[in-house]
């Protein structure tokens, strides 16, 4: 998503506007504080770790993959470093003469596929 935001210029705003960057940085910090407070609250109450990500009414406290995906998405959106990376790193590889938004969209898809493979291996190893 950040790579596609770079393609349409939204993450360029983060690099150019101190106010926008600080706003996103503060919102990201608030999300992380919320996750931490919630984890401490559940730990204090003696709730299992799965209760942090289990959907309400889940069968036996089962962790929902959709819930985990949404939490990861919120964490990623609240990470301005990914936006700055997308706007500063990816554009330098656009071949001369290519349309920048198209090339950046392609790089974003490639970036997502590489991350998917990497994290699938990490999850598989941790699960083993």
């Amino acid at each position: 998503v950040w790579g596609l935001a770079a393609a349409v210029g939204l993450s360029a705003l983060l690099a150019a506007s101190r106010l926008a960057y600080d706003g996103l940085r503060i919102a990201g910090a608030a999300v992380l504080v919320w996750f931490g407070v919630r984890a401490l609250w559940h730990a204090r109450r003696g709730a299992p770790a799965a209760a942090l990500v289990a959907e309400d009414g889940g069968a036996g406290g089962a962790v929902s993959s959709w819930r985990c995906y949404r939490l990861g998405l919120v964490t990623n959106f609240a990470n301005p470093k990914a936006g700055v990376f997308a706007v500063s790193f990816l554009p330098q590889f656009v071949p001369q003469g290519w349309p920048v938004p198209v090339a950046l969209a392609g790089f974003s898809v490639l970036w997502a596929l590489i991350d998917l493979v990497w994290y699938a291996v990490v999850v598989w190893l941790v699960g083993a």
Side-chain angles (χ1 to χ4, degrees), residues 61-81:
V63 178
S64 163
S65 297
W66 178 243
R67 173 82 173 161
C68 290
Y69 176 77
R70 287 191 320 233
L71 287 173
L73 208 55
V74 167
T75 302
N76 187 285
F77 283 148
N79 182 4
K81 293 180 299 233

Side-chain angles (χ1 to χ4, degrees), residues 94-122:
V94 175
Q96 190 167 359
W98 284 38
V100 174
V102 173
L104 288 178
F107 288 156
S108 300
V109 169
L110 184 62
W111 182 12
L113 291 174
I114 290 169
D115 276 358
L116 178 70
V117 170
W118 171 253
Y119 287 118
V121 169
V122 169

Side-chain angles (χ1 to χ4, degrees), residues 20-90:
Y21 180 80
D22 284 344
L24 187 61
R25 188 172 54 92
I26 291 168
V31 167
L32 292 178
V33 167
W34 170 250
F35 286 166
V37 166
R38 192 166 165 222
L40 290 173
W41 180 258
H42 281 280
R44 184 168 187 243
R45 289 183 27 210
L52 292 174
V53 291
E55 291 196 328
D56 295 336
V63 178
S64 163
S65 297
W66 178 243
R67 173 82 173 161
C68 290
Y69 176 77
R70 287 191 320 233
L71 287 173
L73 208 55
V74 167
T75 302
N76 187 285
F77 283 148
N79 182 4
K81 293 180 299 233
V84 171
F85 172 80
V87 78
S88 64
F89 184 74
L90 293 179

